[in-house]
Amino acid sequence: MSVSRRAWVAESLRAVAVSATGFIALLGLRAARPVRVRDRVVRVPADDHDKLTVIDDALVVRRGGQVRAFSLRCPHLGCKLSLDADERGLTCPCHGSRFDLDGNRISGPATRGLTELRVALTDSSAPSGR
Ligand code: FES
């Protein structure tokens, strides 16, 4: 069986187009998720009841009996985020991306929300060590 050069080029271009479409669709699915949970664990003292706390480069948010932690690294290029003066959100000092306290992206250039981290409540009265 012989394949003409024109048919081979057309088939190759079609294969590249299908692969590129799949890759772009995958990127779109990732961007649609505003917050991802990573394996990193933030240890939060159980007896700390502040609404907002910064622990190990993570913002810990307590609301309605729920404790959540978000990386303070901007998902755009990794600058450290600052809590807004009114404590209602976070702003990146580098290019101005903004996020709410649920980790959702408010404005870019970041294309997704903050990375959510796992939380482990710890007993601050227990001796530290192993
Ligand atoms: S690094 Fe945060 S907006 Fe660019």
Side-chain angles (χ1 to χ4, degrees):
M1 178 175 121
S2 74
V3 177
S4 73
R5 184 176 175 164
R6 180 173 294 205
W8 182 84
V9 168
E11 193 60 33
S12 297
L13 288 175
R14 194 170 78 78
V16 168
V18 167
S19 298
T21 301
F23 182 70
I24 290 168
L26 194 62
L27 288 178
L29 286 175
R30 286 186 57 154
R33 283 188 281 160
V35 176
R36 295 180 303 168
V37 175
R38 284 262 182 99
D39 287 340
R40 184 176 151 206
V41 176
V42 179
R43 301 195 181 290
V44 179
D47 60 354
D48 177 6
H49 297 291
D50 289 342
K51 182 180 153 207
L52 299 172
T53 313
V54 174
I55 299 174
D56 295 336
D57 253 4
L59 178 69
V60 177
V61 181
R62 290 179 185 266
R63 262 199 295 206
Q66 192 179 30
V67 182
R68 299 174 74 190
F70 300 96
S71 171
L72 284 174
R73 291 293 158 193
C74 180
H76 179 227
L77 293 177
C79 290
K80 187 172 180 178
L81 301 169
S82 303
L83 192 60
D84 295 342
D86 63 5
E87 297 190 340
R88 290 184 170 183
L90 300 144
T91 301
C92 180
C94 294
H95 311 108
S97 290
R98 300 194 59 237
F99 307 90
D100 65 20
L101 295 180
D102 290 317
N104 298 309
R105 175 191 167 276
I106 296 171
S107 62
T111 58
R112 66 173 180 84
L114 301 179
T115 300
E116 186 166 6
L117 307 170
R118 295 181 194 278
V119 171
L121 295 178
T122 60
D123 180 0
S124 60
S125 64
S128 62
R130 296 177 220 196

